[in-house]
Amino acid sequence: MTTRVGIPRALLYYQYYPMWQAFFEEFGVETAISPPTTKDIVTSGCSRTVAETCLPVKIFCGHVLSLADKCDYMFIPVIRSMGKNAYNCSKLLGLPDITKAVIPESPPILDIEIDANKSKYSLYRAIYSLGRHFTKNPLRIEKATKKAWKIYLAYRQKMSSEGLMPTQITDKMCDKRHQVDLAENDSPPLLNIAVIGHPYLIYDDYINHRLITQVQAMGAKVLTPEMVSEQALDAAMTSLVGNPRWTYEADVVGAGGYYLQTKVDGIIGLAAFACGPDSMMMNIIQRRARQLKAPFLYLTLDEHTAEGGMLTRLEAFLDMVKRRKRGQSCA
Amino acid sequence: MRVGIPHAGNIYIPLRTIFKELGTELVVPPPSTRRTLDLGVRYAPEGTCLPFKLTLGNLIEACELGADSVLQAGGIGICRLSYYAKVQKQILHDLGYDIEMLTFDVSQNKLVGLLQLIKRVSNNSPWSKIISAFHFGLAKLAALDNIEKVIHKVRAVELEKGTANKIFKESIKAIDELSEHAALKKITTEYIEKLGQMAKDDRADPLKVGIIGEIFVVLDPFSNMDLEVELGKLGVEVKRSLFFSQWTKFSLFLNSLGIDEWKRVHKAAMPYLKRDVGGDGWESVGEKVLHAKEYDGIIHVAPFTCMPETVAQNIMPSTKEDIPVLTILCDEQMAKPGMLTRLEAFVDLLKFRRRRPKLTSGTRGNRENLSWH
């Protein structure tokens, strides 16, 4: 029987799944993905963690629980840093340890630490320590790593050049049944609305109550951080706050800054309740939007968010943006 | 230059001393009150933590008193502190205070950075003067913490409740006003002796409760609603390893020589949390593990939504080392009666546990991890 590695469909999954999948495939290892978030997943995750934990981590624990008896290993990497002097949030750093503490029945956790502030050697060692679970041959590990990295770059490139969302690519890869039908409408969209925030909020249809679909149904084209190249995100971020302090700051500050520069019709900022970095970063974008008099809607999500309330706010926001645009074009 | 500072426990005393010695004007805002917090809550992003809101309130009050620049901690790190200065500066600018933000880096280049900052704001005073002022400031901080360590013991066993606090307040005032370095040692010993001569219950064997958590709320009595004083009233001896003087001693000097005061604590945390998660999260887990046998209970204090402490809070109940933990999360919604009720209940639990130690050995696991909300 082949070894199965569990990958929870939460947090970093949206950014890195194709890369991870390619890496494990090289060793003939099967990857098991948890199903899209459901009410049961959220409830089970909430029941294990302390109440003050942020929603994404609660959901992550729910996904781990749903996979616990379906795989031999659980893959929970720790991305400490992806750039100089920028670190990740505490909860992502403590993720394997939190999982071990709150879900003791989880299969053995594969945790590797990626830290761009350390030497290249420590990166090699981290990847080798992961590959060693499946092969003793370092050359095979190297080959798998190179292939995985290439796939990641291609994935990122495809999203920014074709304007795709991660789910449009990954869903085809891992689950044929769950394909979001995003057939382009023939008539050109009325509005361009940017949705900024971390991928695990934007692309998880359960926790954001199908925000993207809803906005599209209201006749707007949705733009997300992944549709912008990394260079453009970094440039926008640097002009706004200087050097970033958090690893995934580009998703929020970079994307927000970029879409403010390119003058989209409105921006929706999506944040999770109790998220530390978002509480600061969204505020920076909010202030900037206010200075530029650009429409900005700040939505905070938690496990109690009701669809009705969110829809009302979305409709009101889009109506406001539409009226504003009409007013501008008349003048 | 009129430099405004935020409050954090007694940190204004060494700062005031250093600036006074160098002839720079320091604007110490009034002690934190409900108004300070309300100001902070009104202008801060709603999801930020209590230390952000409270220090923002302090800085606004300092600006009202005419500060033209403000000092805030910052640096590269994992927790939100690295963004305090950037966001607070924007908020103050939007409020119409055209101030300069001076950032003291607490993550790297600490000692040199701090000294250079002092040199800048003190109008290029000579290094000899800066170093002697700095030395005096740190000595005051150490003296205060030495007295506080004695206070922790005395509060639990004093016969007339409140005496130790009165002496502590007197000593803070005396040390704050002191302008000669030579007299500091004498004053400190005087107060420690005074505390030693107080009427105490000699037969008492007070409960020992460790205080762990996020450094700002642990050390700022306004934020934690005088937690230690209240524990003293309940006859509990407080044990803690976080002190500002200890931070300055190690982070500014000894760490660069390779001496790490937290090594033991980190080692203890290893089986449960393998890496630094920023702030004091790693230390919180380690201290629980390390002191499980020595203390009767532990009170874990953290700001609401604190990133590192939430990690610690999730991990602590799973440790093998068993000790009751009460987590108190501090935010602007907190009210004192609620906290007192929980403290009383917790102390009752600890008394009960001490009387019947067999009941709690091992088998009951971690049911005694209590949480605030």
Side-chain angles (χ1 to χ4, degrees):
Chain A
M1 209 187 113
T2 48
T3 321
R4 280 164 74 95
V5 173
I7 299 180
R9 193 193 291 258
L11 295 175
L12 301 178
Y13 160 85
Y14 297 95
Q15 265 139 307
Y16 298 119
Y17 174 66
M19 173 165 85
W20 296 342
Q21 205 264 347
F23 182 79
F24 290 120
E25 205 178 30
E26 275 296 294
F27 308 113
V29 173
E30 222 178 283
T31 47
I33 317 291
S34 55
T37 314
T38 59
K39 194 176 175 197
D40 285 343
I41 287 181
V42 178
T43 321
S44 64
C46 291
S47 69
R48 295 294 182 101
T49 47
V50 296
E52 291 79 18
T53 316
C54 62
L55 180 65
V57 170
K58 285 178 178 167
I59 289 177
F60 182 87
C61 291
H63 279 279
V64 172
L65 272 169
S66 76
L67 273 177
D69 51 353
K70 295 187 185 70
C71 52
D72 309 305
Y73 293 104
M74 194 65 73
F75 181 54
I76 309 178
V78 174
I79 315 273
R80 179 177 280 274
S81 170
M82 293 290 276
K84 191 147 182 51
N85 287 341
Y87 290 91
N88 222 330
C89 145
S90 308
K91 288 166 207 164
L92 288 174
L93 298 182
L95 206 54
D97 297 299
I98 294 181
T99 311
K100 208 169 89 188
V102 301
I103 308 172
E105 67 267 40
S106 157
I109 292 169
L110 301 176
D111 62 336
I112 62 165
E113 188 170 325
I114 307 288
D115 187 348
N117 288 300
K118 282 196 189 147
S119 63
K120 262 202 168 144
Y121 177 67
S122 74
L123 177 71
Y124 295 152
R125 276 197 57 167
I127 295 172
Y128 180 68
S129 73
L130 175 65
R132 221 182 36 198
H133 289 275
F134 314 109
T135 177
K136 291 221 160 53
N137 183 353
L139 292 175
R140 265 184 82 191
I141 299 175
E142 196 193 332
K143 198 175 142 219
T145 313
K146 283 190 173 145
K147 189 182 145 207
W149 184 244
K150 233 189 207 146
I151 294 231
Y152 170 70
L153 292 178
Y155 170 64
R156 190 70 190 75
Q157 168 71 25
K158 196 174 158 94
M159 286 191 292
S160 55
S161 61
E162 293 177 28
L164 290 176
M165 298 176 197
T167 35
Q168 284 169 304
I169 301 174
T170 53
D171 287 350
K172 266 184 220 150
M173 287 172 62
C174 64
D175 190 357
K176 297 266 180 334
R177 282 164 299 146
H178 179 75
Q179 264 193 41
V180 190
D181 188 20
L182 287 164
E184 286 285 322
N185 227 337
D186 288 339
S187 54
L190 282 167
L191 301 170
N192 284 319
I193 298 291
V195 179
I196 61 166
H198 296 295
Y200 47 78
L201 294 175
I202 300 183
Y203 305 114
D204 191 326
D205 277 344
Y206 181 81
I207 51 175
N208 65 26
H209 304 286
R210 298 180 296 126
L211 174 84
I212 290 178
T213 327
Q214 311 266 26
V215 176
Q216 281 169 338
M218 291 175 196
K221 183 173 164 38
V222 174
L223 302 164
T224 62
E226 281 70 24
M227 297 177 186
V228 186
S229 72
E230 263 172 77
Q231 291 80 4
L233 288 180
D234 287 342
M237 186 165 57
T238 315
S239 74
L240 212 54
V241 291
N243 291 328
R245 293 286 160 80
W246 278 304
T247 295
Y248 297 118
E249 206 170 317
D251 293 337
V252 183
V253 180
Y258 176 82
Y259 284 122
L260 281 173
Q261 278 167 16
T262 51
K263 298 209 167 33
V264 290
D265 299 307
I267 296 183
I268 300 175
L270 212 52
F273 180 65
C275 174
D278 277 0
S279 67
M280 304 295 240
M281 296 191 295
M282 279 296 178
N283 189 261
I284 290 173
I285 292 300
Q286 209 173 2
R287 272 170 201 281
R288 185 80 189 130
R290 204 178 297 153
Q291 279 169 9
L292 297 173
K293 298 202 165 52
F296 184 86
L297 173 69
Y298 184 12
L299 285 178
T300 307
L301 300 171
D302 66 10
E303 59 269 42
H304 310 297
T305 311
E307 187 169 352
M310 201 194 76
L311 266 181
T312 312
R313 293 189 62 193
L314 263 188
E315 279 168 7
F317 178 70
L318 288 179
D319 280 350
M320 186 268 287
V321 174
K322 271 179 208 159
R323 242 196 328 268
R324 195 168 180 269
K325 203 174 180 186
R326 225 179 296 141
Q328 274 172 351
S329 59
C330 288
Chain B
M1 222 174 189
R2 290 166 60 83
V3 185
I5 54 159
H7 277 295
N10 288 329
I11 203 77
Y12 69 95
I13 294 176
L15 284 173
R16 178 138 69 194
T17 310
I18 294 169
F19 280 68
K20 206 161 128 198
E21 294 279 302
L22 296 173
T24 311
E25 203 172 340
L26 187 71
V27 184
V28 179
S32 300
T33 56
R34 191 70 219 180
R35 178 181 184 262
T36 319
L37 187 54
D38 286 344
L39 276 175
V41 170
R42 189 182 312 156
Y43 298 112
E46 63 164 332
T48 48
C49 45
L50 182 75
F52 182 94
K53 292 173 178 167
L54 202 55
T55 51
L56 177 66
N58 289 142
L59 294 184
I60 293 176
E61 287 185 321
C63 288
E64 285 170 351
L65 292 175
D68 59 13
S69 48
V70 292
L71 185 66
Q72 179 61 280
I76 297 153
I78 291 151
C79 124
R80 264 175 281 200
L81 180 65
S82 58
Y83 252 104
Y84 273 31
K86 270 183 197 167
V87 177
Q88 288 183 340
K89 185 180 165 187
Q90 283 189 355
I91 295 174
L92 291 173
H93 276 211
D94 286 354
L95 285 174
Y97 297 113
D98 190 20
I99 44 93
E100 186 189 349
M101 181 58 88
L102 305 165
T103 328
F104 159 47
D105 196 324
V106 293
S107 57
Q108 56 182 9
N109 201 12
K110 290 169 259 200
L111 181 60
V112 179
L114 184 58
L115 289 175
Q116 277 168 345
L117 186 71
I118 296 174
K119 189 164 175 79
R120 225 188 91 206
V121 296
S122 65
N123 243 338
N124 246 336
S125 300
W127 279 114
S128 58
K129 226 174 144 190
I130 291 176
I131 287 170
S132 96
F134 192 61
H135 185 204
F136 188 24
L138 291 189
K140 276 193 178 183
L141 193 61
L144 281 169
D145 286 347
N146 284 339
I147 297 176
E148 197 170 1
K149 278 176 198 159
V150 182
I151 295 272
H152 283 158
K153 287 207 162 74
V154 175
R155 256 185 205 143
V157 292
E158 61 186 355
L159 282 178
E160 198 185 323
K161 289 287 172 200
T163 326
N165 272 334
K166 225 163 71 195
I167 297 178
F168 189 35
K169 276 196 188 124
E170 277 169 27
S171 71
I172 292 176
K173 194 156 174 277
I175 290 179
D176 187 20
E177 283 164 1
L178 187 75
S179 53
E180 289 160 74
H181 194 163
L184 183 64
K185 207 166 184 181
K186 204 175 130 246
I187 288 199
T188 317
T189 353
E190 253 175 48
Y191 278 105
I192 290 179
E193 269 169 19
K194 214 169 174 183
L195 288 166
Q197 284 155 5
M198 270 171 56
K200 286 184 256 11
D201 182 358
D202 293 325
R203 281 175 308 161
D205 181 18
L207 289 167
K208 288 188 180 61
V209 169
I211 305 234
I212 61 172
E214 194 275 335
I215 188 162
F216 181 91
V217 290
V218 167
L219 295 180
D220 190 58
F222 179 80
S223 306
N224 61 36
M225 308 204 132
D226 291 322
L227 174 68
E228 292 177 1
V229 176
E230 296 304 333
L231 282 173
K233 281 186 196 159
L234 294 170
V236 171
E237 186 181 327
V238 168
K239 295 270 189 188
R240 79 166 133 90
S241 26
L242 285 169
F243 283 96
F244 278 128
S245 62
Q246 192 236 17
W247 188 89
T248 53
K249 184 171 149 196
F250 284 97
S251 281
L252 294 181
F253 301 102
L254 294 179
N255 282 1
S256 50
L257 300 175
I259 301 166
D260 187 2
E261 76 277 31
W262 292 110
K263 215 171 186 172
R264 257 176 75 229
V265 178
H266 292 160
K267 210 175 145 200
M270 264 311 185
Y272 309 105
L273 183 57
K274 273 186 253 168
R275 44 185 75 80
D276 181 19
V277 292
D280 309 286
W282 205 13
E283 288 79 6
S284 291
V285 175
E287 282 207 81
K288 183 204 164 181
V289 172
L290 204 58
H291 301 307
K293 291 251 150 46
E294 296 161 47
Y295 299 167
D296 292 286
I298 282 177
I299 296 184
H300 175 220
V301 206
F304 179 54
T305 74
C306 177
M307 297 146 61
E309 298 303 329
T310 309
V311 175
Q313 206 190 339
N314 268 309
I315 290 176
M316 273 197 272
S318 72
T319 63
K320 232 179 23 260
E321 293 77 2
D322 187 25
I323 181 169
V325 177
L326 173 71
T327 298
I328 296 183
L329 295 170
C330 307
D331 68 3
E332 63 269 23
Q333 313 284 348
M334 198 165 142
K336 198 152 184 177
M339 190 188 81
L340 289 184
T341 314
R342 306 205 56 212
L343 281 187
E344 280 164 20
F346 186 63
V347 170
D348 279 349
L349 172 111
L350 298 184
K351 280 181 190 155
F352 177 74
R353 201 173 185 261
R354 214 186 224 194
R355 274 206 306 272
R356 307 180 61 182
K358 268 182 200 151
L359 248 182
T360 49
S361 59
T363 47
R364 287 183 55 186
N366 283 295
R367 258 186 266 162
E368 281 146 326
N369 271 287
L370 307 170
S371 160
W372 179 249
H373 284 289

